[in-house]
Amino acid sequence: MSTTKTIKSALISVFSKDGLEPIVRKLHEQNVIIYSTGGTEEFINNLGIPVVPVEEVTSFPEILGGRVKTLHPKIFGGILNRQDNETDIAQMKDFEIPQIDLVIVDLYPFEKTVASGASEADIIEKIDIGGISLIRAAAKNFNDTVIVASVNEYSILLGFISTQNGTTTLEQRKLLATKAFHVSSHYDTAIFNYFNTDETIFKTSIDSGQILRYGENPHQKGFFFGDFDKMFTKVHGKELSYNNLLDVDAAVNLILEFKDNEPTFAILKHNNACGLATRNTMLAAYLAALACDPTSAFGGVLIANGKIDLATAKEINSLFCEVVIALDYDNEAIAVLSEKKNRIILIQHEVELPTRQVRTALNGLLVQDRNNITDSESGLKVVTKTAPTKQEIDDLLFASKICKNTKSNTIVFAKNSTLVASGTGQTSRVDALKQAIEKATTFGFDLNGAVMASDAFFPFPDCVEIAHNAGITAVIQPGGSIKDALSIYFCNQNKVAMVFTDTRHFKH
């Protein structure tokens, strides 16, 4: 039997009518018999095109307020019959079942209804039963039946039938079936996740993705699954790479900590901040951030918590950087930043980030809640005789926000709302501390009066001793070591202020 099939009959039952008219008109031109239901039937009738109501086929009306329309053996027999099977052919004749060569469905918008904040009753009514059954039946029988499972595939179908005079190949039907099973599985996952309360079951489905140039290295394939355009407007520049996206993710999470602060600018390299400062103007914040580590800033990702103006853009333009992100830009600023043709310029939109984080591990996945705790003044517990000053408290919280978003083990120094230096990703906390001191010294920062943040407790007093000798006057850490008393004792002996947060901020 030929694998090329000519469409002679079609069942159309869709929620969205957008883009449907040209398909219906083309099918009518090709003398295709059209079956339909409810609102879709009315839409086709209004086009002046003949349409056969499904109830004429089934001899059964729509019932239960439209909940049952197409669920009938004469409909599903017409879709599922195997045209090369003698028994199926005989039963089609015996039961007077019409052949259905094409099924077009667009499901009730369940996800949009949930996102709209609708009542549970309204959400339940948007669980499509007949439509999802039609999709699965037609997709299963792709050898003989064409399935179009959403408005996103209307243009594909129109292209096939327009250029091939109403015929399709087996490969084309299988392609549409694949897309249909994706629609079906994505829809079911959304419904399950709406109902699911068992945290030990994990299901996810993302219906948008893109192929990246490569992964972390050129020999690795790379993909991004997500709605990048929902989060950003890309104003200028080359396509983002896998590594760009990792850095952008780190930048967005970091700057979120400073969402309500005065103008704040951060520079990141390899997912860690190498510069960050808060000032009265964005220009001053940028210059202070750049001064933290101008060497690492080369080729980095820059992000601001507000608008980038012309003066700031002119300063940025003298630095080679991969990506610039801001909530807004002056038009003149965009013009200046666009002078470098490959520089990626992004406008960040306010989008709610996922509440859970997922990563592969071994032969499965690790899933955790986002670290959504930001240390605040009300949560600080002063554990030393010397209490931090108001300026030190501000700097301690500033340093803590950076520390939370830096790879462990980490130590962060801050002074006057400026990242002075950090030690990142070290195998010991002492090494992280020594690295931070060395960086601060390299770039000429005076650590006298600076504060220190640690992402986890100090198991020994050696870190506070080294920090004190370098000029640190206040420390923020989670506490919780069985030897906390030793670190507290050293601080008391040397008039160093220390506060506990009771919250560890590991970031692996």
Side-chain angles (χ1 to χ4, degrees):
M1 180 176 284
S2 172
T3 61
T4 298
K5 302 286 183 179
T6 300
I7 297 170
K8 297 179 181 178
S9 59
L11 171 62
I12 306 176
S13 181
V14 301
F15 180 83
S16 174
K17 316 302 187 294
D18 294 341
L20 184 62
E21 180 177 346
I23 293 175
V24 173
R25 292 196 182 279
K26 180 58 68 174
L27 293 174
H28 178 56
E29 274 179 33
Q30 295 171 348
N31 298 314
V32 174
I33 300 170
I34 300 175
Y35 303 97
S36 193
T37 62
T40 308
E41 177 192 341
E42 181 182 358
F43 174 82
I44 297 171
N45 268 320
N46 289 339
L47 295 176
I49 293 174
V51 57
V52 180
V54 164
E55 48 263 43
E56 285 189 18
V57 178
T58 63
S59 300
F60 208 97
E62 291 185 13
I63 61 172
L64 308 181
R67 281 188 164 195
V68 179
K69 301 175 185 176
T70 57
L71 296 169
H72 193 279
K74 282 198 170 183
I75 298 301
F76 282 85
I79 295 169
L80 281 163
N81 73 92
R82 294 157 291 188
Q83 295 179 21
D84 59 353
N85 183 290
E86 292 183 3
T87 301
D88 287 8
I89 293 169
Q91 289 184 338
M92 290 282 286
K93 184 176 180 181
D94 290 345
F95 294 108
E96 299 181 337
I97 298 173
Q99 178 69 44
I100 298 175
D101 302 314
L102 165 65
V103 176
I104 303 177
V105 176
D106 186 65
L107 297 169
Y108 292 155
F110 178 81
E111 287 182 280
K112 288 183 179 178
T113 305
V114 172
S116 72
S119 67
E120 183 171 278
D122 288 338
I123 290 170
I124 298 303
E125 287 307 308
K126 288 299 185 291
I127 299 176
D128 206 313
I129 303 301
I132 207 78
S133 301
L134 291 170
I135 288 173
R136 292 177 64 82
K140 175 178 179 177
N141 201 33
F142 67 86
N143 275 316
D144 296 308
T145 309
V146 181
I147 174 62
V148 175
S150 82
V151 66
N152 297 326
E153 274 72 65
Y154 286 1
S155 61
I156 297 176
L157 173 68
L158 186 60
F160 288 164
I161 63 177
S162 297
T163 59
Q164 298 166 188
N165 198 30
T167 66
T168 59
T169 66
L170 178 62
E171 291 75 15
Q172 290 168 344
R173 293 192 298 278
K174 193 169 185 178
L175 169 67
L176 287 168
T178 302
K179 291 180 178 294
F181 282 124
H182 166 63
V183 170
S184 171
S185 63
H186 181 82
Y187 197 76
D188 286 342
T189 297
I191 294 170
F192 170 78
N193 285 332
Y194 173 75
F195 285 98
N196 183 40
T197 57
D198 185 345
E199 293 186 345
T200 66
I201 300 175
F202 176 76
K203 292 182 187 293
T204 189
S205 177
I206 302 174
D207 61 0
S208 59
Q210 66 185 89
I211 300 172
L212 303 174
R213 294 197 302 275
Y214 50 80
E216 280 185 291
N217 300 290
H219 63 276
Q220 296 171 269
K221 290 183 178 180
F223 308 87
F224 173 68
F225 296 97
D227 191 351
F228 185 84
D229 293 339
K230 186 176 182 180
M231 284 203 65
F232 303 99
T233 297
K234 184 182 168 196
V235 178
H236 178 77
K238 63 183 179 181
E239 292 301 312
L240 280 88
S241 69
Y242 184 98
N243 292 331
N244 288 154
L245 289 168
L246 286 175
D247 283 330
V248 168
D249 176 70
V252 166
N253 282 287
L254 175 59
I255 209 67
L256 188 62
E257 305 283 350
F258 300 89
K259 178 181 177 182
D260 299 321
N261 286 51
E262 291 296 305
T264 300
F265 208 104
I267 304 172
L268 289 89
K269 195 73 171 289
H270 300 303
N271 302 171
N272 293 314
C274 59
L276 196 151
T278 298
R279 293 292 187 270
N280 293 327
T281 68
M282 197 60 75
L283 174 59
Y286 168 70
L287 292 173
L290 179 63
C292 295
D293 185 347
T295 301
S296 295
F298 182 86
V301 170
L302 282 57
I303 188 166
N305 71 344
K307 178 185 280 191
I308 291 180
D309 56 21
L310 177 59
T312 308
K314 286 181 177 178
E315 290 292 338
I316 292 171
N317 201 39
S318 62
L319 174 73
F320 170 72
C321 57
E322 291 274 352
V323 186
V324 182
I325 311 167
L327 301 183
D328 200 3
Y329 301 81
D330 287 341
N331 289 335
E332 298 88 346
I334 290 177
V336 169
L337 293 172
S338 299
E339 290 175 4
K340 303 291 193 300
K341 69 175 184 178
N342 287 329
R343 179 184 286 148
I344 299 163
I345 304 172
L346 302 176
I347 298 174
Q348 182 182 347
H349 308 308
E350 188 167 346
V351 175
E352 187 174 347
L353 296 172
T355 58
R356 289 194 168 183
Q357 297 173 314
V358 183
R359 66 192 298 181
T360 59
L362 302 176
N363 61 350
L365 301 174
L366 285 172
V367 182
Q368 68 170 351
D369 294 336
R370 290 181 64 83
N371 182 358
N372 57 9
I373 294 178
T374 298
D375 295 329
S376 62
E377 186 172 355
S378 62
L380 301 182
K381 180 168 62 177
V382 179
V383 295
T384 51
K385 295 176 182 177
T386 300
T389 65
K390 177 64 171 68
Q391 180 62 56
E392 286 174 334
I393 289 174
D394 290 343
D395 284 341
L396 287 169
L397 294 173
F398 179 92
S400 173
K401 291 175 181 180
I402 301 171
C403 195
K404 169 186 168 182
N405 290 276
T406 305
K407 296 289 185 180
S408 299
N409 286 321
T410 187
I411 292 290
V412 170
F413 295 151
K415 186 176 181 181
N416 298 325
S417 299
T418 306
L419 169 62
V420 173
S422 61
T424 65
Q426 299 302 304
T427 52
S428 82
R429 203 154 301 281
V430 171
D431 286 345
L433 174 57
K434 289 178 178 178
Q435 183 190 54
I437 293 171
E438 182 180 352
K439 290 193 73 172
T441 302
T442 298
F443 294 109
F445 284 99
D446 180 7
L447 288 177
N448 288 298
V451 304
M452 176 173 72
S454 173
D455 59 341
F457 62 65
F458 298 117
F460 303 102
D462 48 2
C463 280
V464 289
E465 181 177 356
I466 295 168
H468 165 68
N469 291 337
I472 298 300
T473 57
V475 178
I476 185 170
Q477 60 137 316
S481 169
I482 58 173
K483 296 184 178 180
D484 276 342
L486 297 178
S487 294
I488 294 171
Y489 176 79
F490 179 88
C491 289
N492 282 334
Q493 292 297 106
N494 293 277
K495 297 183 179 179
V496 175
M498 180 181 285
V499 297
F500 284 3
T501 63
D502 294 329
T503 302
R504 189 181 73 183
H505 290 299
F506 270 165
K507 187 172 186 286
H508 288 91

